[in-house]
């Protein structure tokens, strides 16, 4: 009898061993293929079975979660959705994630291992941690001032804290409500189709994903290169600059909108945006030095993330002298995002140093425990400190006596540069209006904010420099909002 029992026991052990081997084979070897199978809904169900973490602005959550009671239980909700859409992006059960919702998805969804107190135990039990929170660098007053300043016009605003690189505002218009895309029903599909078919592209973040010809605002970079190269030593000395200026090697002449530009000083040329002076300066500087100056400010950087990716701003390095002249006044192939031009203004305000811009101050567990912090970012010296001092002087003149007077703030030091970017066939399109600026309060040790504004559909007469009339008041409102708020830290 015992022999049969031994045989039965051995057979049971064999079956158990086969079961364990099969289980291990399924989980270890076949697990990835099953997990990635589109028919497997368990990961999707698990993803939405608990509330998502929050994105915070000024200590207040601008996101939430709604319990639908359905299989995909929790849907994302947004407070002031259109205001913060260029920053938060969306979470859609049907169309995925964008912007911060995408870049910080593991923290917000609770899948980041840093959220777990005992990671190995979580791996063993397959438990999901509560979603963590993402604390942004945004100043809510500055963000609202930027969004309201743009109003119904198409454009973008970026504000940066020059000494740290913290992004204080990032607005893009027209905008949309990301909550319309949260679920997976017919209404979501209809909203997706409507938003994608809209010729105004409301889901495009123009602040970081759209590049524009920067027009005369790029003259800040050209002036920095000329001053660093020693081509200009006296801001008030005449320059050898004819008006009009024949582009080297061509029969094309470059003219000015302003008067008095022939042999104008750098101060006058900067204040009244004389194209001929800056085009000739750039040719004298040379393509190599201009390329290095632009690269130092951040042009041609394809790896910038804030933490989501940014479209690279470009300065064409394969140009002849005529093309270099046009590139250096913000035309030809020169393209820039509003974020890039805010970095240019910030470098001037910060003694010639550029800080890498960032949008996330820290991430935390649901209870508030720190997961990660932005940390210190080393600066990049892009011009001599003395050059930055001279550029601040020039930019202050633009606001005090020149085309940027609409950005003046009583009791504060403000520097700026207007710009008009031509586009369309034969430059027939309505010019894009640019304004870049920085501001320092009366009691501040350093400049508190640097701003770039672009308005695509600026209404201006062809002879006007529309940046001063259209974009400068928006920049002023943003700078005032920052100066009224308590400094960070």
């Amino acid at each position: 009898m015992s022999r049969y029992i031994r045989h039965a026991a051995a057979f049971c052990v064999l079956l158990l061993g086969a079961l364990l081997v099969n289980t291990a084979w399924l989980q270890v070897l076949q697990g990835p293929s099953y997990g990635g199978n589109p028919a497997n809904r368990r990961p999707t169900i698990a993803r939405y079975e608990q509330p998502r973490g929050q994105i915070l602005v000024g200590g207040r959550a601008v996101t939430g979660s709604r319990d639908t009671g359905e299989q995909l239980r929790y849907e994302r909700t947004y407070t002031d959705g259109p205001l913060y859409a260029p920053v938060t992006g969306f979470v859609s059960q049907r169309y995925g994630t964008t912007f911060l919702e995408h870049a910080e998805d593991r923290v917000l969804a609770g899948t980041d291992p840093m959220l777990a107190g005992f990671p190995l135990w979580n791996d063993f039990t397959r438990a999901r941690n509560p979603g963590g929170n993402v604390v942004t660098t945004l100043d809510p007053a500055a963000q609202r001032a930027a969004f309201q300043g743009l109003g119904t016009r198409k454009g973008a605003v970026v504000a940066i804290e020059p000494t740290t690189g913290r992004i204080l505002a990032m607005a893009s218009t027209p905008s949309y409500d990301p909550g319309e895309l949260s679920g997976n029903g017919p209404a979501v599909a209809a909203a997706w189709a409507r938003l994608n078919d809209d010729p105004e592209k409301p889901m495009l973040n123009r602040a970081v994903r759209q590049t524009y010809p920067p027009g005369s605002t790029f003259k800040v970079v050209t002036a920095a290169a000329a001053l660093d190269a020693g081509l200009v030593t006296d801001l008030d000395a005449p320059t050898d600059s004819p008006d009009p200026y024949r582009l080297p090697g061509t029969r094309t002449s470059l003219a000015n909108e302003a008067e008095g530009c022939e042999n104008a000083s750098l101060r006058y040329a900067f204040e009244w945006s004389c194209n001929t002076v800056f085009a000739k300066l750039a040719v004298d500087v040379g393509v190599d030095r201009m390329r290095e100056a632009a690269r130092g400010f951040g042009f041609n950087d394809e790896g910038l993330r804030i933490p989501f990716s940014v479209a690279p701003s470009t300065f064409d390095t394969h140009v002849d002298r005529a093309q270099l002249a046009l590139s250096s006044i913000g035309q030809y192939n020169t393209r820039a995002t509003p974020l890039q031009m805010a970095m240019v203004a910030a470098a001037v305000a910060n003694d010639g140093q550029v800080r890498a811009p960032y949008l996330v101050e820290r991430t935390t567990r649901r209870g508030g425990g720190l997961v990660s912090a932005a940390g210190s970012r080393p600066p990049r010296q892009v011009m001599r400190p003395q050059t930055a001092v001279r550029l601040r002087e020039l930019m202050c003149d633009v606001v005090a006596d020149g085309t940027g007077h609409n950005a003046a703030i009583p009791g504060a030091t403000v520097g700026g540069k207007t710009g008009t970017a031509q586009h369309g066939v034969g430059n027939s399109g309505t010019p894009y209006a640019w304004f870049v600026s920085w501001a320092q309060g009366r009691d501040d040790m350093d400049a508190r904010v640097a701003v770039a504004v672009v308005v695509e559909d600026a209404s201006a007469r062809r002879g006007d420099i529309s940046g001063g009339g259209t974009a400068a008041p928006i920049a002023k409102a943003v700078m005032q909002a920052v100066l009224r708020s308590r400094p960070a830290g």
Side-chain angles (χ1 to χ4, degrees):
M1 185 71 177
S2 61
R3 182 165 62 91
Y4 296 112
I5 294 175
R6 287 197 301 272
H7 288 171
F11 184 65
C12 289
V13 170
L14 181 63
L15 290 176
L16 179 61
L19 179 62
L20 292 175
V21 169
N22 184 64
T23 302
W25 179 72
L26 287 172
Q27 291 190 344
V28 177
L29 298 179
Q30 297 297 312
S33 63
Y34 287 129
N37 192 311
N40 181 11
R41 287 179 53 81
R42 292 187 65 183
T44 304
I45 294 171
R47 176 179 175 81
Y48 296 106
E49 71 181 1
Q50 68 177 19
R52 192 171 172 84
Q54 307 291 16
I55 297 175
L56 285 81
V57 175
R60 182 178 70 94
V62 298
T63 57
S65 294
R66 181 174 68 90
D67 189 349
T68 66
E70 299 175 356
Q71 189 178 52
L72 301 183
R73 184 172 174 182
Y74 286 95
E75 290 182 1
R76 195 58 147 170
T77 61
Y78 295 89
T79 303
D80 293 324
L83 174 63
Y84 294 109
V87 175
T88 63
F90 62 77
V91 177
S92 174
Q93 295 175 352
R94 188 164 186 161
Y95 300 110
T97 56
T98 58
F99 298 123
L100 275 189
E101 295 279 27
H102 179 76
E104 299 294 343
D105 182 68
R106 295 205 304 169
V107 170
L108 294 165
T111 59
D112 192 318
M114 294 293 291
L115 294 171
F118 302 98
L120 293 178
W121 175 254
N122 278 26
D123 290 343
F124 179 74
T125 61
R126 296 181 179 270
R128 181 181 288 263
N129 300 299
N133 297 329
V134 174
V135 181
T136 71
T137 59
L138 294 180
D139 181 319
Q143 180 73 10
R144 191 168 294 278
F147 186 72
Q148 292 178 345
L150 288 169
T152 59
R153 293 170 293 193
K154 190 190 306 182
V157 178
V158 175
I160 295 177
E161 188 174 66
T163 55
T164 64
R166 298 169 70 246
I167 297 174
L168 304 177
M170 181 183 291
S172 176
T173 55
S175 189
Y176 71 105
D177 184 359
E180 291 185 285
L181 303 175
S182 293
N184 59 9
V188 171
W192 177 260
R194 171 174 51 80
L195 291 169
N196 279 282
D197 291 342
D198 191 332
E200 299 299 307
K201 299 181 179 179
M203 290 195 293
L204 173 63
N205 184 342
R206 290 173 165 82
V208 296
R209 295 285 176 84
Q210 179 71 46
T211 60
Y212 303 88
S216 293
T217 59
F218 191 82
K219 292 171 183 174
V220 176
V221 178
T222 304
L227 288 166
D228 268 355
L231 293 181
V232 177
T233 56
D234 183 350
L235 299 182
D236 296 302
T239 58
D240 183 16
S241 307
D243 183 11
Y245 170 59
R246 177 173 290 184
L247 298 177
T250 75
R251 296 181 179 179
T252 302
S253 292
L254 184 66
N256 299 289
E257 298 286 353
E259 297 180 354
C261 290
E262 183 176 1
N263 296 325
S265 67
L266 184 62
R267 187 187 304 277
Y268 184 93
F270 196 90
E271 188 173 325
W272 296 104
S273 213
C274 296
N275 289 332
T276 52
V277 173
F278 286 93
K280 186 175 185 300
L281 277 176
V283 172
D284 293 341
V285 169
V287 67
D288 290 338
R289 284 180 172 174
M290 281 301 304
R291 178 183 62 241
E292 288 305 305
R295 185 190 62 81
F297 281 101
F299 285 81
N300 299 330
D301 181 0
E302 298 183 357
L304 180 61
R305 303 185 68 87
I306 60 169
F308 46 81
S309 62
V310 175
S313 299
T314 55
F315 181 81
D316 197 336
T317 58
H318 302 287
V319 291
D320 59 27
R321 295 201 304 160
Q323 293 164 342
L324 175 63
L326 294 175
S327 297
S328 300
I329 59 172
Q331 297 182 24
Y332 190 57
N333 287 338
T334 304
R335 307 280 296 189
T337 62
L339 174 64
Q340 174 61 69
M341 295 314 298
M343 292 169 62
V344 169
V348 175
N350 193 36
D351 294 325
Q353 292 185 337
V354 167
R355 294 273 183 175
Y358 64 100
L359 193 53
V360 175
E361 195 76 75
R362 61 186 179 276
T363 58
T364 69
R365 297 179 179 86
R366 178 163 296 182
L370 182 66
V371 175
S372 66
S376 176
R377 286 167 164 76
R380 183 172 69 247
Q381 192 76 39
V382 302
M383 69 184 97
R384 293 182 300 172
Q386 183 59 32
T387 295
V389 170
R390 291 182 170 187
L391 281 174
R392 286 199 296 273
E393 183 180 340
L394 293 177
M395 293 181 76
C396 286
D397 288 344
V398 169
V399 174
D401 304 312
T403 57
H405 61 89
N406 284 332
I409 300 173
T413 302
V414 179
K417 183 71 185 80
T418 55
T420 304
Q422 311 291 347
H423 70 105
V425 178
N427 290 333
S428 60
T430 303
Y432 298 149
W434 276 95
F435 191 73
V436 300
S437 59
W438 51 267
Q440 180 174 345
R442 180 185 289 112
D443 300 323
D444 295 328
M445 295 293 293
D446 302 293
R448 289 273 301 280
V449 60
V451 180
V453 178
V454 63
V455 179
E456 292 189 26
D457 49 359
S459 56
R461 296 191 305 272
R462 292 291 295 171
D464 289 346
I465 297 178
S466 57
T470 306
I474 301 173
K476 176 181 178 178
V478 175
M479 291 186 292
Q480 284 179 314
V482 174
L483 293 178
R484 291 191 192 108
S485 65
R486 186 175 60 183

